Amino acid sequence: MTLSHPAKLRSVVVGLGCYLPPRILSNADLEKTLDTTDEWIVQRTGIRQRHIAGEDERTSTLGLRAAKAALADAGLSGADIDLVIVATSTPDYTFPSVATQIQAGLGMTHGVAFDLQAVCSGFVFAVTTADKFLTSGSHKRALVIGAETFSRLLDWNDRTTCVLFGDGAGAIVLEAQEGDGTIADRGVLTAHLRSDGRYRDKLYVDGGPSSTRTTGHLKMEGREVFRHAVAMVTDVVQAGFAATGTTAEDLSWFVPHQANRRIIDASAEKLGIAPQKVVITVDLHGNTSAASVPLALCVARDDGRIKPGDLVMIEAMGGGFTWGAALIRW
Ligand code: UT7
């Protein structure tokens, strides 16, 4: 007798694209205006430079560029997409959403588009949300975008926060395809999301339409966030391993949220993931919040590391706190 598994819908990655604004701000540039040093920033964070959106570039501009690149990579157009989810905490406007602007930018007049706000965890939350739509059978193809202009939320006189963040966007196209229900399937194999609102004051923006009626600036108790980050990240990654019966050894690539090199290294070590499997882009991009994971996926795909069939773990944590991980067979 042969064992057979029931067919199961999977959300398979069929396209990936990114966009970084051309202007680069180096640590040396920051030294000119701020009481900081390249040495401090590199030693404490691993960041060497970040990209900054131009005056004429908004989150929707960056996101649309990434979306078009992902669609081109998939050989598809807006006509083939019926779900657009944009993870962002830096929308162009309080409303309408960035997602509907990107939908219009792609010439789409069908399907559904909405924003999702989970700060730095936004992309992992958006992939997980899209996966629920696709595997329910209600939608066929999703464009999942992480796009941010955090440079617009920063107090450029606050050295404890402004050196950490950058702008950018990344997008993937997920398509519902039938798998056989095993972890050999391509697509999202498992996803685990968590949040805990008690930590609001550790990482927040001190403004908004219903409080100050302004945009506000990013505030962070960096040391406190750092203290929680490794435990939170390892919790959801281990949940992903447990749900699929996989281990760190089975992973091809670990693609973490790029906030701080020290957090990434400590998480990988605690999880037993070999350093050569860890994708690092924080040196080049800084922390681009919801864009950091898809940007890192792009870098590792473009340089030939991530290939079809690879087992890829993505994870992130951020304001809220929110945190999550997803295991994807590429
Ligand atoms: O995306 C998710 C959320 N974000 C994160 O994951 C960030 C988590 N936190 C961190 O990455 C780190 O806590 C930071 C990089 C933000 C800070 O590193 P740290 O090792 O925790 O430093 P610290 O905050 O304890 O500050 C150490 C010293 C302080 O001086 P004193 O009080 O010891 O005299 C700071 O004032 O470093 C000083 N400092 C700086 N010095 C030079 C803070 N920022 C800077 C700076 N340049 N840019």
Side-chain angles (χ1 to χ4, degrees), residues 9-15 74 76 80-82 130-131 134-135 139-144 172-178 186-188:
L9 279 177
R10 297 287 197 188
S11 309
V12 176
V13 180
V14 295
L76 299 171
D80 303 306
I81 300 295
D82 53 4
D131 181 51
L134 297 181
T135 57
H139 290 70
K140 180 77 185 130
R141 279 193 210 95
L143 192 50
V144 180
I172 60 172
V173 181
L174 291 174
E175 180 177 274
Q177 292 182 8
E178 226 163 69
R186 288 186 69 202
V188 177

Side-chain angles (χ1 to χ4, degrees), residues 43-111:
Q43 217 170 58
R44 303 283 176 137
T45 72
I47 299 167
R48 295 182 183 275
Q49 61 171 48
R50 67 289 289 145
H51 289 249
I52 304 291
E55 279 306 314
D56 57 340
E57 289 182 309
R58 298 175 177 190
T59 295
S60 65
T61 325
L62 274 49
L64 181 58
R65 291 251 199 167
K68 285 181 173 172
L71 285 172
D73 182 49
L76 299 171
S77 73
D80 303 306
I81 300 295
D82 53 4
L83 173 66
V84 180
I85 306 180
V86 177
T88 188
S89 301
T90 46
D92 302 13
Y93 309 106
T94 301
F95 74 79
S97 67
V98 174
T100 52
Q101 295 178 76
I102 291 177
Q103 181 191 25
L106 293 172
M108 293 171 60
T109 52
H110 65 283

Side-chain angles (χ1 to χ4, degrees), residues 187-257:
V188 177
L189 300 178
T190 191
H192 303 265
L193 306 182
R194 314 235 197 281
S195 59
D196 189 339
R198 286 175 301 170
Y199 297 105
R200 187 193 80 95
D201 292 347
K202 307 293 178 210
L203 177 52
Y204 68 105
V205 170
D206 64 353
S210 183
S211 52
T212 58
R213 305 177 194 200
T214 61
T215 307
H217 288 124
L218 184 146
K219 305 280 172 193
M220 177 165 67
E221 288 179 37
R223 210 177 296 187
E224 277 294 294
V225 178
F226 196 113
R227 203 166 65 77
H228 287 93
V230 176
M232 288 175 161
V233 160
T234 50
D235 158 45
V236 280
V237 169
Q238 276 163 345
F241 286 144
T244 51
T246 55
T247 68
E249 310 254 292
D250 299 317
L251 281 190
S252 311
W253 305 106
F254 180 53
V255 185
H257 171 50

Side-chain angles (χ1 to χ4, degrees), residues 34-37 40-41 44-45 120 159-161 163-165 203 220-226 229 257-260 262-263 287 289 317-319:
L34 213 56
D35 179 17
T36 191
T37 60
W40 189 95
I41 301 171
R44 303 283 176 137
T45 72
C120 297
R159 68 175 184 174
T160 68
T161 53
V163 305
L164 304 173
F165 295 90
L203 177 52
M220 177 165 67
E221 288 179 37
R223 210 177 296 187
E224 277 294 294
V225 178
F226 196 113
H257 171 50
Q258 308 284 321
N260 184 315
R262 286 153 60 210
I263 296 175
N287 180 349
S289 186
M317 77 82 62

Side-chain angles (χ1 to χ4, degrees), residues 36 66 117 138 171 190 200 228 235 282 302 307 310 312 324:
T36 191
Q117 210 269 60
S138 69
T190 191
R200 187 193 80 95
H228 287 93
D235 158 45
V282 70
D302 291 349
K307 292 182 287 301
D310 281 356
V312 180

